[in-house]
Amino acid sequence: MRVALALAALSLTAVPTALIAQVQPVMQIEGDSPLLTLSITESIDAKPDTATIGAGVQTIAPTATEALRLNSVKMDALIKAVKARGVADKDIQTTGIGLSPQYDYEGRQNGQSPRFVGYQVSNEVRVKTHDIAKLGTMLDALVAAGGTNINGPNFSIDADAAIKTEARTRALRKAREQAQFYAAQTGYSSARLVSITESQGYGGGPMPQAMELRVMDASAKAPVEPGQVSTAVNLTVQYRLVK
């Protein structure tokens, strides 16, 4: 008979506040050789090195052709402003272009039909920058260049290899400690490693937050605080408990 026992994880002590560990142990007992499965998440908070901003322009004109032409002029100015601040072509991506008719519905309450007023064209781009210190200046430049709405910034870490290595190291260390603990507490002499499976995601620390910022005054400055974001490694580690 195969029995699955869910074991409550011990509270973790002496763990830095920048490191969040989650351990979910499950022991499967089959004969005299239990299989212990540990699901461990290690999350390390660090300063972001990348910010992504969405920016767009909108235009309205009597004809679709004219609306698109005017929009293209504005978007070209916006992209030039971004490139002038050192953003590479590969870090600028169009995310959506929309064309829709616009109507005036004010006369509807008097029984009048909606009045056609023209066409609206919207164009959105996503900009990635690694110069977070100058992010406020970038936002000001986007608005000055004709950006009618800004969304973001979304902060992330591109150069996170060293952080992930540290998270793996701590996760494996925690797995060994937990496996030896459960072996000792259940009458076994040691725990033999069987397998390791890794997945990645966000840990329990602060998530990158997106904010909607509609700028009405191009002279207004945009203070930006990047804070910290989490880089997490999720490990599923199996040990065979032996006598």
Side-chain angles (χ1 to χ4, degrees):
M1 177 180 295
R2 190 175 188 181
V3 181
L5 299 178
L7 304 178
L10 295 181
S11 60
L12 304 179
T13 59
V15 177
T17 56
L19 174 65
I20 297 176
Q22 298 175 349
V23 183
Q24 297 178 334
V26 174
M27 185 182 292
Q28 296 176 334
I29 301 177
E30 186 173 4
D32 293 331
S33 189
L35 184 65
L36 176 65
T37 302
L38 299 172
S39 296
I40 302 177
T41 298
E42 290 285 355
S43 178
I44 299 177
D45 295 342
K47 292 184 64 176
D49 59 13
T50 303
T52 304
I53 310 167
V57 294
Q58 293 181 340
T59 53
I60 297 179
T63 67
T65 300
E66 181 66 7
L68 183 60
R69 185 189 69 79
L70 293 174
N71 190 274
S72 297
V73 171
K74 285 190 173 183
M75 180 52 72
D76 184 59
L78 188 146
I79 292 175
K80 285 181 178 178
V82 169
K83 290 183 178 180
R85 279 153 182 80
V87 178
D89 289 347
K90 66 181 180 64
D91 291 329
I92 305 172
Q93 182 181 54
T94 298
T95 57
I97 299 176
L99 170 65
S100 60
Q102 300 296 299
Y103 296 90
D104 181 359
Y105 294 95
E106 289 185 3
R108 181 177 267 182
Q109 59 185 358
N110 298 323
Q112 300 176 9
S113 298
R115 181 175 62 87
F116 174 75
V117 296
Y119 287 91
Q120 177 178 282
V121 173
S122 61
N123 193 338
E124 303 284 337
V125 294
R126 182 181 295 117
V127 178
K128 180 188 293 186
T129 178
H130 301 285
D131 195 353
I132 294 181
K134 297 181 180 179
L135 189 56
T137 303
M138 174 75 73
L139 292 169
D140 294 339
L142 288 172
V143 176
T148 55
N149 62 79
I150 308 294
N151 62 82
N154 293 312
F155 294 104
S156 60
I157 302 175
D158 270 359
D160 62 352
I163 299 174
K164 287 180 179 177
T165 297
E166 177 64 17
R168 291 186 189 101
T169 300
R170 298 188 185 189
L172 288 173
R173 182 186 307 130
K174 183 61 63 178
R176 286 194 299 270
E177 293 173 356
Q178 292 292 309
Q180 293 298 335
F181 168 81
Y182 286 115
Q185 293 297 311
T186 53
Y188 293 87
S189 62
S190 62
R192 178 172 57 84
L193 180 63
V194 175
S195 67
I196 301 173
T197 304
E198 178 180 328
S199 60
Q200 295 175 4
Y202 289 108
M207 291 279 288
Q209 296 294 319
M211 65 178 180
E212 185 72 15
L213 174 63
R214 294 192 177 274
V215 183
M216 304 302 294
D217 180 3
S219 66
K221 297 300 180 181
V224 177
E225 294 294 338
Q228 292 188 322
V229 296
S230 296
T231 297
V233 172
N234 307 311
L235 296 183
T236 300
V237 187
Q238 289 189 322
Y239 285 89
R240 181 72 67 182
L241 304 188
V242 294
K243 292 289 187 179

mmCIF file with all atom_site columns, all heavy atoms in Angstrom, residues 162-178:
data_model
loop_
_atom_site.group_PDB
_atom_site.id
_atom_site.type_symbol
_atom_site.label_atom_id
_atom_site.label_alt_id
_atom_site.label_comp_id
_atom_site.label_asym_id
_atom_site.label_entity_id
_atom_site.label_seq_id
_atom_site.pdbx_PDB_ins_code
_atom_site.Cartn_x
_atom_site.Cartn_y
_atom_site.Cartn_z
_atom_site.occupancy
_atom_site.B_iso_or_equiv
_atom_site.pdbx_formal_charge
_atom_site.auth_seq_id
_atom_site.auth_comp_id
_atom_site.auth_asym_id
_atom_site.auth_atom_id
_atom_site.pdbx_PDB_model_num
ATOM 1   N N   . ALA A 1 162 ? 23.651 35.866 -11.739 1.00 0.00 ? 162 ALA A N   1
ATOM 2   C CA  . ALA A 1 162 ? 24.306 35.691 -10.441 1.00 0.00 ? 162 ALA A CA  1
ATOM 3   C C   . ALA A 1 162 ? 23.269 35.563 -9.322  1.00 0.00 ? 162 ALA A C   1
ATOM 4   O O   . ALA A 1 162 ? 23.442 34.789 -8.378  1.00 0.00 ? 162 ALA A O   1
ATOM 5   C CB  . ALA A 1 162 ? 25.241 36.867 -10.162 1.00 0.00 ? 162 ALA A CB  1
ATOM 6   N N   . ILE A 1 163 ? 22.174 36.326 -9.439  1.00 0.00 ? 163 ILE A N   1
ATOM 7   C CA  . ILE A 1 163 ? 21.119 36.259 -8.419  1.00 0.00 ? 163 ILE A CA  1
ATOM 8   C C   . ILE A 1 163 ? 20.464 34.881 -8.431  1.00 0.00 ? 163 ILE A C   1
ATOM 9   O O   . ILE A 1 163 ? 20.200 34.291 -7.371  1.00 0.00 ? 163 ILE A O   1
ATOM 10  C CB  . ILE A 1 163 ? 20.086 37.367 -8.660  1.00 0.00 ? 163 ILE A CB  1
ATOM 11  C CG1 . ILE A 1 163 ? 20.745 38.731 -8.564  1.00 0.00 ? 163 ILE A CG1 1
ATOM 12  C CG2 . ILE A 1 163 ? 18.940 37.263 -7.658  1.00 0.00 ? 163 ILE A CG2 1
ATOM 13  C CD1 . ILE A 1 163 ? 19.835 39.887 -8.919  1.00 0.00 ? 163 ILE A CD1 1
ATOM 14  N N   . LYS A 1 164 ? 20.197 34.352 -9.625  1.00 0.00 ? 164 LYS A N   1
ATOM 15  C CA  . LYS A 1 164 ? 19.580 33.032 -9.722  1.00 0.00 ? 164 LYS A CA  1
ATOM 16  C C   . LYS A 1 164 ? 20.512 31.946 -9.188  1.00 0.00 ? 164 LYS A C   1
ATOM 17  O O   . LYS A 1 164 ? 20.059 30.986 -8.557  1.00 0.00 ? 164 LYS A O   1
ATOM 18  C CB  . LYS A 1 164 ? 19.197 32.733 -11.170 1.00 0.00 ? 164 LYS A CB  1
ATOM 19  C CG  . LYS A 1 164 ? 17.989 33.519 -11.647 1.00 0.00 ? 164 LYS A CG  1
ATOM 20  C CD  . LYS A 1 164 ? 17.649 33.194 -13.086 1.00 0.00 ? 164 LYS A CD  1
ATOM 21  C CE  . LYS A 1 164 ? 16.418 33.978 -13.531 1.00 0.00 ? 164 LYS A CE  1
ATOM 22  N NZ  . LYS A 1 164 ? 16.092 33.745 -14.956 1.00 0.00 ? 164 LYS A NZ  1
ATOM 23  N N   . THR A 1 165 ? 21.812 32.101 -9.437  1.00 0.00 ? 165 THR A N   1
ATOM 24  C CA  . THR A 1 165 ? 22.766 31.127 -8.915  1.00 0.00 ? 165 THR A CA  1
ATOM 25  C C   . THR A 1 165 ? 22.736 31.129 -7.389  1.00 0.00 ? 165 THR A C   1
ATOM 26  O O   . THR A 1 165 ? 22.758 30.058 -6.754  1.00 0.00 ? 165 THR A O   1
ATOM 27  C CB  . THR A 1 165 ? 24.185 31.441 -9.413  1.00 0.00 ? 165 THR A CB  1
ATOM 28  O OG1 . THR A 1 165 ? 24.208 31.316 -10.845 1.00 0.00 ? 165 THR A OG1 1
ATOM 29  C CG2 . THR A 1 165 ? 25.199 30.497 -8.810  1.00 0.00 ? 165 THR A CG2 1
ATOM 30  N N   . GLU A 1 166 ? 22.684 32.309 -6.790  1.00 0.00 ? 166 GLU A N   1
ATOM 31  C CA  . GLU A 1 166 ? 22.616 32.401 -5.342  1.00 0.00 ? 166 GLU A CA  1
ATOM 32  C C   . GLU A 1 166 ? 21.317 31.791 -4.815  1.00 0.00 ? 166 GLU A C   1
ATOM 33  O O   . GLU A 1 166 ? 21.308 31.087 -3.798  1.00 0.00 ? 166 GLU A O   1
ATOM 34  C CB  . GLU A 1 166 ? 22.722 33.866 -4.910  1.00 0.00 ? 166 GLU A CB  1
ATOM 35  C CG  . GLU A 1 166 ? 22.592 34.095 -3.409  1.00 0.00 ? 166 GLU A CG  1
ATOM 36  C CD  . GLU A 1 166 ? 23.705 33.452 -2.604  1.00 0.00 ? 166 GLU A CD  1
ATOM 37  O OE1 . GLU A 1 166 ? 24.760 33.091 -3.194  1.00 0.00 ? 166 GLU A OE1 1
ATOM 38  O OE2 . GLU A 1 166 ? 23.533 33.297 -1.384  1.00 0.00 ? 166 GLU A OE2 1
ATOM 39  N N   . ALA A 1 167 ? 20.210 32.039 -5.519  1.00 0.00 ? 167 ALA A N   1
ATOM 40  C CA  . ALA A 1 167 ? 18.929 31.475 -5.100  1.00 0.00 ? 167 ALA A CA  1
ATOM 41  C C   . ALA A 1 167 ? 18.961 29.944 -5.177  1.00 0.00 ? 167 ALA A C   1
ATOM 42  O O   . ALA A 1 167 ? 18.453 29.256 -4.285  1.00 0.00 ? 167 ALA A O   1
ATOM 43  C CB  . ALA A 1 167 ? 17.801 32.029 -5.968  1.00 0.00 ? 167 ALA A CB  1
ATOM 44  N N   . ARG A 1 168 ? 19.550 29.402 -6.238  1.00 0.00 ? 168 ARG A N   1
ATOM 45  C CA  . ARG A 1 168 ? 19.669 27.934 -6.358  1.00 0.00 ? 168 ARG A CA  1
ATOM 46  C C   . ARG A 1 168 ? 20.503 27.370 -5.211  1.00 0.00 ? 168 ARG A C   1
ATOM 47  O O   . ARG A 1 168 ? 20.167 26.341 -4.628  1.00 0.00 ? 168 ARG A O   1
ATOM 48  C CB  . ARG A 1 168 ? 20.305 27.569 -7.692  1.00 0.00 ? 168 ARG A CB  1
ATOM 49  C CG  . ARG A 1 168 ? 19.455 27.849 -8.906  1.00 0.00 ? 168 ARG A CG  1
ATOM 50  C CD  . ARG A 1 168 ? 20.117 27.309 -10.165 1.00 0.00 ? 168 ARG A CD  1
ATOM 51  N NE  . ARG A 1 168 ? 19.421 27.754 -11.343 1.00 0.00 ? 168 ARG A NE  1
ATOM 52  C CZ  . ARG A 1 168 ? 19.830 28.765 -12.121 1.00 0.00 ? 168 ARG A CZ  1
ATOM 53  N NH1 . ARG A 1 168 ? 20.955 29.408 -11.817 1.00 0.00 ? 168 ARG A NH1 1
ATOM 54  N NH2 . ARG A 1 168 ? 19.125 29.126 -13.174 1.00 0.00 ? 168 ARG A NH2 1
ATOM 55  N N   . THR A 1 169 ? 21.635 28.041 -4.933  1.00 0.00 ? 169 THR A N   1
ATOM 56  C CA  . THR A 1 169 ? 22.524 27.569 -3.870  1.00 0.00 ? 169 THR A CA  1
ATOM 57  C C   . THR A 1 169 ? 21.791 27.494 -2.538  1.00 0.00 ? 169 THR A C   1
ATOM 58  O O   . THR A 1 169 ? 21.877 26.493 -1.812  1.00 0.00 ? 169 THR A O   1
ATOM 59  C CB  . THR A 1 169 ? 23.742 28.502 -3.747  1.00 0.00 ? 169 THR A CB  1
ATOM 60  O OG1 . THR A 1 169 ? 24.457 28.517 -4.992  1.00 0.00 ? 169 THR A OG1 1
ATOM 61  C CG2 . THR A 1 169 ? 24.673 28.040 -2.640  1.00 0.00 ? 169 THR A CG2 1
ATOM 62  N N   . ARG A 1 170 ? 21.042 28.532 -2.229  1.00 0.00 ? 170 ARG A N   1
ATOM 63  C CA  . ARG A 1 170 ? 20.335 28.558 -0.954  1.00 0.00 ? 170 ARG A CA  1
ATOM 64  C C   . ARG A 1 170 ? 19.181 27.548 -0.944  1.00 0.00 ? 170 ARG A C   1
ATOM 65  O O   . ARG A 1 170 ? 18.897 26.945 0.102   1.00 0.00 ? 170 ARG A O   1
ATOM 66  C CB  . ARG A 1 170 ? 19.814 29.968 -0.688  1.00 0.00 ? 170 ARG A CB  1
ATOM 67  C CG  . ARG A 1 170 ? 20.926 30.999 -0.576  1.00 0.00 ? 170 ARG A CG  1
ATOM 68  C CD  . ARG A 1 170 ? 20.384 32.344 -0.125  1.00 0.00 ? 170 ARG A CD  1
ATOM 69  N NE  . ARG A 1 170 ? 21.443 33.356 -0.130  1.00 0.00 ? 170 ARG A NE  1
ATOM 70  C CZ  . ARG A 1 170 ? 21.317 34.566 0.376   1.00 0.00 ? 170 ARG A CZ  1
ATOM 71  N NH1 . ARG A 1 170 ? 20.166 34.923 0.937   1.00 0.00 ? 170 ARG A NH1 1
ATOM 72  N NH2 . ARG A 1 170 ? 22.305 35.433 0.337   1.00 0.00 ? 170 ARG A NH2 1
ATOM 73  N N   . ALA A 1 171 ? 18.525 27.385 -2.084  1.00 0.00 ? 171 ALA A N   1
ATOM 74  C CA  . ALA A 1 171 ? 17.425 26.420 -2.150  1.00 0.00 ? 171 ALA A CA  1
ATOM 75  C C   . ALA A 1 171 ? 17.925 25.001 -1.932  1.00 0.00 ? 171 ALA A C   1
ATOM 76  O O   . ALA A 1 171 ? 17.319 24.215 -1.193  1.00 0.00 ? 171 ALA A O   1
ATOM 77  C CB  . ALA A 1 171 ? 16.715 26.527 -3.501  1.00 0.00 ? 171 ALA A CB  1
ATOM 78  N N   . LEU A 1 172 ? 19.038 24.667 -2.562  1.00 0.00 ? 172 LEU A N   1
ATOM 79  C CA  . LEU A 1 172 ? 19.601 23.320 -2.396  1.00 0.00 ? 172 LEU A CA  1
ATOM 80  C C   . LEU A 1 172 ? 20.090 23.100 -0.967  1.00 0.00 ? 172 LEU A C   1
ATOM 81  O O   . LEU A 1 172 ? 19.945 22.007 -0.411  1.00 0.00 ? 172 LEU A O   1
ATOM 82  C CB  . LEU A 1 172 ? 20.735 23.102 -3.399  1.00 0.00 ? 172 LEU A CB  1
ATOM 83  C CG  . LEU A 1 172 ? 20.295 22.933 -4.859  1.00 0.00 ? 172 LEU A CG  1
ATOM 84  C CD1 . LEU A 1 172 ? 21.500 22.894 -5.786  1.00 0.00 ? 172 LEU A CD1 1
ATOM 85  C CD2 . LEU A 1 172 ? 19.468 21.654 -5.023  1.00 0.00 ? 172 LEU A CD2 1
ATOM 86  N N   . ARG A 1 173 ? 20.692 24.138 -0.386  1.00 0.00 ? 173 ARG A N   1
ATOM 87  C CA  . ARG A 1 173 ? 21.131 24.021 0.994   1.00 0.00 ? 173 ARG A CA  1
ATOM 88  C C   . ARG A 1 173 ? 19.934 23.778 1.920   1.00 0.00 ? 173 ARG A C   1
ATOM 89  O O   . ARG A 1 173 ? 19.976 22.924 2.807   1.00 0.00 ? 173 ARG A O   1
ATOM 90  C CB  . ARG A 1 173 ? 21.867 25.284 1.417   1.00 0.00 ? 173 ARG A CB  1
ATOM 91  C CG  . ARG A 1 173 ? 22.422 25.228 2.854   1.00 0.00 ? 173 ARG A CG  1
ATOM 92  C CD  . ARG A 1 173 ? 23.005 26.560 3.277   1.00 0.00 ? 173 ARG A CD  1
ATOM 93  N NE  . ARG A 1 173 ? 23.981 27.046 2.320   1.00 0.00 ? 173 ARG A NE  1
ATOM 94  C CZ  . ARG A 1 173 ? 23.978 28.266 1.817   1.00 0.00 ? 173 ARG A CZ  1
ATOM 95  N NH1 . ARG A 1 173 ? 23.027 29.121 2.164   1.00 0.00 ? 173 ARG A NH1 1
ATOM 96  N NH2 . ARG A 1 173 ? 24.912 28.630 0.967   1.00 0.00 ? 173 ARG A NH2 1
ATOM 97  N N   . LYS A 1 174 ? 18.879 24.515 1.705   1.00 0.00 ? 174 LYS A N   1
ATOM 98  C CA  . LYS A 1 174 ? 17.680 24.342 2.513   1.00 0.00 ? 174 LYS A CA  1
ATOM 99  C C   . LYS A 1 174 ? 17.074 22.951 2.308   1.00 0.00 ? 174 LYS A C   1
ATOM 100 O O   . LYS A 1 174 ? 16.607 22.314 3.260   1.00 0.00 ? 174 LYS A O   1
ATOM 101 C CB  . LYS A 1 174 ? 16.661 25.422 2.160   1.00 0.00 ? 174 LYS A CB  1
ATOM 102 C CG  . LYS A 1 174 ? 15.391 25.381 2.986   1.00 0.00 ? 174 LYS A CG  1
ATOM 103 C CD  . LYS A 1 174 ? 15.681 25.592 4.454   1.00 0.00 ? 174 LYS A CD  1
ATOM 104 C CE  . LYS A 1 174 ? 16.265 26.964 4.714   1.00 0.00 ? 174 LYS A CE  1
ATOM 105 N NZ  . LYS A 1 174 ? 16.500 27.192 6.164   1.00 0.00 ? 174 LYS A NZ  1
ATOM 106 N N   . ALA A 1 175 ? 17.130 22.462 1.060   1.00 0.00 ? 175 ALA A N   1
ATOM 107 C CA  . ALA A 1 175 ? 16.589 21.129 0.776   1.00 0.00 ? 175 ALA A CA  1
ATOM 108 C C   . ALA A 1 175 ? 17.367 20.057 1.537   1.00 0.00 ? 175 ALA A C   1
ATOM 109 O O   . ALA A 1 175 ? 16.779 19.139 2.127   1.00 0.00 ? 175 ALA A O   1
ATOM 110 C CB  . ALA A 1 175 ? 16.638 20.853 -0.723  1.00 0.00 ? 175 ALA A CB  1
ATOM 111 N N   . ARG A 1 176 ? 18.702 20.163 1.541   1.00 0.00 ? 176 ARG A N   1
ATOM 112 C CA  . ARG A 1 176 ? 19.523 19.186 2.263   1.00 0.00 ? 176 ARG A CA  1
ATOM 113 C C   . ARG A 1 176 ? 19.214 19.212 3.751   1.00 0.00 ? 176 ARG A C   1
ATOM 114 O O   . ARG A 1 176 ? 19.089 18.164 4.404   1.00 0.00 ? 176 ARG A O   1
ATOM 115 C CB  . ARG A 1 176 ? 21.013 19.463 2.023   1.00 0.00 ? 176 ARG A CB  1
ATOM 116 C CG  . ARG A 1 176 ? 21.505 19.072 0.642   1.00 0.00 ? 176 ARG A CG  1
ATOM 117 C CD  . ARG A 1 176 ? 23.023 19.061 0.595   1.00 0.00 ? 176 ARG A CD  1
ATOM 118 N NE  . ARG A 1 176 ? 23.596 20.380 0.882   1.00 0.00 ? 176 ARG A NE  1
ATOM 119 C CZ  . ARG A 1 176 ? 23.849 21.303 -0.040  1.00 0.00 ? 176 ARG A CZ  1
ATOM 120 N NH1 . ARG A 1 176 ? 23.575 21.053 -1.311  1.00 0.00 ? 176 ARG A NH1 1
ATOM 121 N NH2 . ARG A 1 176 ? 24.377 22.467 0.288   1.00 0.00 ? 176 ARG A NH2 1
ATOM 122 N N   . GLU A 1 177 ? 19.117 20.430 4.305   1.00 0.00 ? 177 GLU A N   1
ATOM 123 C CA  . GLU A 1 177 ? 18.834 20.560 5.737   1.00 0.00 ? 177 GLU A CA  1
ATOM 124 C C   . GLU A 1 177 ? 17.481 19.940 6.088   1.00 0.00 ? 177 GLU A C   1
ATOM 125 O O   . GLU A 1 177 ? 17.348 19.211 7.071   1.00 0.00 ? 177 GLU A O   1
ATOM 126 C CB  . GLU A 1 177 ? 18.853 22.036 6.136   1.00 0.00 ? 177 GLU A CB  1
ATOM 127 C CG  . GLU A 1 177 ? 20.219 22.683 6.049   1.00 0.00 ? 177 GLU A CG  1
ATOM 128 C CD  . GLU A 1 177 ? 20.161 24.186 6.286   1.00 0.00 ? 177 GLU A CD  1
ATOM 129 O OE1 . GLU A 1 177 ? 19.032 24.713 6.434   1.00 0.00 ? 177 GLU A OE1 1
ATOM 130 O OE2 . GLU A 1 177 ? 21.228 24.822 6.315   1.00 0.00 ? 177 GLU A OE2 1
ATOM 131 N N   . GLN A 1 178 ? 16.481 20.219 5.278   1.00 0.00 ? 178 GLN A N   1
ATOM 132 C CA  . GLN A 1 178 ? 15.145 19.703 5.546   1.00 0.00 ? 178 GLN A CA  1
ATOM 133 C C   . GLN A 1 178 ? 15.093 18.179 5.394   1.00 0.00 ? 178 GLN A C   1
ATOM 134 O O   . GLN A 1 178 ? 14.460 17.477 6.187   1.00 0.00 ? 178 GLN A O   1
ATOM 135 C CB  . GLN A 1 178 ? 14.134 20.355 4.599   1.00 0.00 ? 178 GLN A CB  1
ATOM 136 C CG  . GLN A 1 178 ? 13.905 21.827 4.852   1.00 0.00 ? 178 GLN A CG  1
ATOM 137 C CD  . GLN A 1 178 ? 13.189 22.090 6.172   1.00 0.00 ? 178 GLN A CD  1
ATOM 138 O OE1 . GLN A 1 178 ? 12.154 21.496 6.441   1.00 0.00 ? 178 GLN A OE1 1
ATOM 139 N NE2 . GLN A 1 178 ? 13.749 22.973 6.980   1.00 0.00 ? 178 GLN A NE2 1
#
